[in-house]
Amino acid sequence: MKLYSDEALADILDTKLFHLIGATADRLGQECYVVGGYVRDIFLERPSSDIDVVTVGSGIRLAEELRQALGPGAHLTVFRSFGTAQVKWHGQEVEFVGARKESYSHDSRKPHVEDGTLEDDQNRRDFTINAMAICLNRQRFGQLVDPFNGIRDLKDGIIATPLEPDLTFSDDPLRMMRCVRFATQLQFQIEEETFAALTRMADRINIVSGERIEVEMNKIMLAAHPSIGLELMQRCGLLQIILPELSALDIVEQHNGRAHKNNFYHTLEVVENVASAQSSESKAMASDGADLNAQSESQPSVLNTQLYLRWAALLHDVGKTKSKRWDPQAGWTFHNHNIIGAKMVPIVFRRLKLPMGAEMRYVQKLVDLHMRPIVIADEEVTDSAVRRLMSDAGDDIDDLMTLCEADITSKNEGRKKLFLENFRMVREKLTDLKEKDYKRMLQPVIDGNEIMQMFGLKPSREVGLLKQTLKDAVLDNLVPNEREPLMQLLMEKARDMGLKTKN
């Protein structure tokens, strides 16, 4: 971070927009301050597009007067039920609110709000690093107001609350998630008493809506090192409430002196490995001039792919708790944990209010398939096995391979090296098959509709068996994907099943 004098802050804020805000407030006789994350990010030397302005008086009136002063290019949106307003001007967005003080009842997340002073407004802020304000009025332009020494906490890398943390978290329990999120994004330490309050108050997160929790969870997941936040949530008890399926993996059982690994910390390693791989890919794309937020009609944005691949990594082993068994010969086993985990994905997404459409199906598919490349890599890497994997994974094959490579966290360097080398061979075969356009050839030229018409069948088990016979033959390269040899194979299989054509 960088320390700035009030004079230096005045220079940083020396723009037409900030001066007009201050001049408008002066004309109305209102104190006016830029606050919160925008101020924090000035000292952290980070770009920030969110400008929050607090005024002692009506924030809506100040926004309305500012729009007039800015002229035709400014756009005003008023949220009267919240007492806030937003002004957009030349690509900049400014949120206005009147200074206020809040109080909460124990069983509600909706505050009782009344007008207040700047001090009242700073008291209700979540953390000291977000409670700093810079005056925009002409006579005090650039003056920092920092009653809780947020500058010191920024310098020391500390997340702490302005008031007693129990009160801060009780008033708005989502602040507990925000505490973890800021510690994760900024890689700061949570102050000791603040963390103790997280542990004491964790149960209060139950009154927060799933939609609000989802926003904070996704921000944690998209951080450079999401495992920081996930471990903090586990330590303070939030994870047991929000994601009990993941928290339950934090156990090591022994039998006859043989213990399995801690699957919770293994999962954190996998998430970190995925994040690292994505970071490397993003840097490579940026160096090539690629737009990391580009979208197309058929593919989600890179950002969304990053997010939900991390969710797949987070949930890839959640089925292990239910599938864990002790086998006297094999030791601890987790048979079919991928299948069990895939069935758990919709339950988790629904509870956390995550999207139940393509995003959920993407995560579910990767959880279901994440053992397949490992099985291939543990044996001979055959064209047939890779073709089947391509067919089942479809367009998500590269993401599946990234997840599976991230899943190799063995401390046995020899075994780890062997797996990663075999994965390299799998990727080479994938590239080779893509170049030969096998994607087009994986579906037999004779489809289910033609089979039903040919044999007078309705959708049924028989149709599925005939289709699978043709698909297996193509995938195993037993016959070319051409009509004549496939028709011959179809007729042979139909005769074996006692089926006859309509003619």
Side-chain angles (χ1 to χ4, degrees):
M1 66 164 291
K2 187 172 182 179
L3 295 174
Y4 294 100
S5 65
D6 289 353
E7 290 77 13
L9 291 173
D11 289 340
I12 292 171
L13 299 180
D14 186 16
T15 67
K16 179 181 178 180
L17 177 61
F18 284 121
H19 281 297
L20 266 178
I21 294 172
T24 304
D26 284 338
R27 190 169 65 254
L28 295 174
Q30 298 180 189
E31 295 177 43
C32 180
Y33 305 84
V34 59
V35 298
Y38 192 86
V39 177
R40 178 198 67 226
D41 288 342
I42 288 176
F43 292 98
L44 290 177
E45 299 182 275
R46 300 196 318 172
S48 181
S49 58
D50 298 327
I51 303 174
D52 292 320
V53 170
V54 164
T55 182
V56 182
S58 171
I60 293 176
R61 185 185 178 198
L62 176 57
E64 290 172 338
E65 292 292 323
L66 176 67
R67 184 185 67 81
Q68 293 294 328
L70 289 171
H75 177 74
L76 171 69
T77 305
V78 175
F79 308 95
R80 294 199 181 275
S81 59
F82 295 98
T84 64
Q86 179 190 76
V87 174
K88 294 184 179 181
W89 182 69
H90 292 181
Q92 294 180 292
E93 296 183 7
V94 187
E95 300 281 346
F96 291 87
V97 65
R100 58 193 183 184
K101 53 184 176 181
E102 299 176 344
S103 59
Y104 293 74
S105 62
H106 182 74
D107 59 349
S108 173
R109 59 179 175 266
K110 295 182 179 179
H112 172 69
V113 179
E114 55 185 302
D115 293 341
T117 64
L118 175 66
E119 181 182 3
D120 291 328
D121 199 87
Q122 288 177 302
N123 285 341
R124 72 176 184 84
R125 297 278 162 177
D126 50 9
F127 308 110
T128 60
I129 61 173
N130 294 333
M132 297 180 289
I134 301 175
C135 188
L136 297 179
N137 297 97
R138 185 177 64 83
Q139 289 190 342
R140 296 169 53 213
F141 191 84
Q143 183 180 105
L144 177 67
V145 183
D146 182 18
F148 305 108
N149 218 337
I151 288 293
R152 178 197 60 199
D153 288 345
L154 272 181
K155 184 173 179 292
D156 294 341
I158 296 294
I159 305 293
T161 58
L163 305 178
E164 289 295 324
D166 290 76
L167 176 62
T168 297
F169 294 147
S170 179
D171 281 352
D172 184 357
L174 186 69
R175 290 169 176 169
M176 294 187 286
M177 289 294 295
R178 286 171 57 83
C179 181
V180 172
R181 190 247 295 181
F182 281 121
T184 306
Q185 290 178 324
L186 300 176
Q187 297 180 43
F188 279 16
Q189 296 293 315
I190 299 176
E191 182 263 334
E192 185 176 346
E193 183 53 35
T194 302
F195 187 81
L198 284 179
T199 305
R200 290 192 296 269
M201 305 295 295
D203 284 347
R204 189 146 167 78
I205 199 69
N206 283 308
I207 73 166
V208 179
S209 68
E211 290 85 355
R212 297 180 79 203
I213 291 174
E214 176 210 358
V215 171
E216 296 302 323
M217 275 297 299
N218 283 341
K219 289 179 179 180
I220 291 170
M221 291 296 289
L222 284 171
H225 296 285
S227 67
I228 295 173
L230 296 166
E231 184 177 21
L232 286 169
M233 289 175 67
Q234 177 71 349
R235 284 173 49 206
C236 73
L238 285 171
L239 199 66
Q240 289 87 328
I241 300 169
I242 294 170
L243 251 178
E245 300 88 347
L246 180 64
S247 177
L249 296 175
D250 190 9
I251 187 173
V252 175
E253 290 190 59
Q254 290 194 10
H255 198 285
N256 293 346
R258 297 174 66 179
H260 62 77
K261 66 186 174 186
N262 185 306
N263 287 303
F264 174 74
Y265 285 97
H266 161 73
T267 295
L268 297 195
E269 282 191 74
V270 177
V271 173
E272 282 293 306
N273 288 342
V274 167
S276 177
Q278 291 175 334
S279 176
S280 298
E281 180 182 357
S282 295
K283 289 177 182 177
M285 291 176 66
S287 67
D288 290 338
D291 180 0
L292 300 183
N293 290 314
Q295 296 190 33
S296 70
E297 292 183 0
S298 60
Q299 295 291 332
S301 70
V302 172
L303 181 63
N304 281 341
T305 301
Q306 285 186 339
L307 173 60
Y308 290 104
L309 180 52
R310 294 183 189 199
W311 271 105
L314 190 68
L315 299 177
H316 82 285
D317 273 352
V318 291
K320 282 190 170 180
T321 302
K322 294 184 178 180
S323 65
K324 181 166 58 177
R325 300 289 185 273
W326 169 258
D327 184 310
Q329 278 72 46
W332 291 103
T333 66
F334 303 91
H335 296 312
N336 295 324
H337 74 272
N338 56 311
I339 298 172
I340 295 171
K343 292 178 179 178
M344 295 167 69
V345 169
I347 299 171
V348 171
F349 269 55
R350 189 172 292 109
R351 186 177 66 247
L352 295 182
K353 308 301 182 184
L354 289 159
M356 294 298 294
E359 295 88 349
M360 187 279 291
R361 293 191 294 273
Y362 167 86
V363 172
Q364 189 173 37
K365 178 201 286 190
L366 294 190
V367 171
D368 186 25
L369 295 178
H370 82 270
M371 294 299 294
R372 286 276 295 280
I374 294 176
V375 172
I376 294 173
D378 206 18
E379 301 169 355
E380 183 182 357
V381 183
T382 64
D383 284 358
S384 175
V386 175
R387 285 193 194 98
R388 290 177 183 276
L389 184 63
M390 283 182 64
S391 175
D392 291 339
D395 291 335
D396 302 317
I397 183 65
D398 290 331
D399 289 347
L400 178 62
M401 291 302 300
T402 298
L403 172 60
C404 292
E405 288 164 347
D407 198 17
I408 306 303
T409 62
S410 173
K411 305 308 178 191
N412 183 326
E413 290 300 323
R415 181 169 173 77
K416 184 175 182 179
K417 183 178 180 181
L418 175 64
F419 269 111
L420 292 177
E421 174 61 22
N422 283 354
F423 276 141
R424 185 189 62 78
M425 294 171 62
V426 172
R427 281 194 180 272
E428 286 182 355
K429 285 190 179 293
L430 286 169
T431 301
D432 184 52
L433 293 176
K434 286 178 181 177
E435 289 174 354
K436 293 177 181 177
D437 198 22
Y438 267 100
K439 180 180 178 182
R440 175 180 56 83
M441 298 178 63
L442 288 177
Q443 293 300 324
V445 294
I446 301 174
D447 63 16
N449 289 328
E450 186 174 356
I451 291 172
M452 287 189 288
Q453 185 176 8
M454 189 181 304
F455 295 101
L457 298 172
K458 294 181 178 180
S460 59
R461 177 176 175 273
E462 286 81 4
V463 176
L465 287 173
L466 291 171
K467 285 176 59 180
Q468 193 63 45
T469 297
L470 300 184
K471 184 175 181 178
D472 287 345
V474 171
L475 291 172
D476 292 334
N477 208 25
L478 298 177
V479 296
N481 193 9
E482 299 171 2
R483 187 171 185 81
E484 186 175 340
L486 283 176
M487 187 62 74
Q488 181 178 345
L489 178 62
L490 177 63
M491 291 303 179
E492 291 175 359
K493 182 64 177 178
R495 282 195 299 271
D496 291 343
M497 296 170 61
L499 299 175
K500 295 181 179 180
T501 59
K502 289 175 62 177
N503 298 327

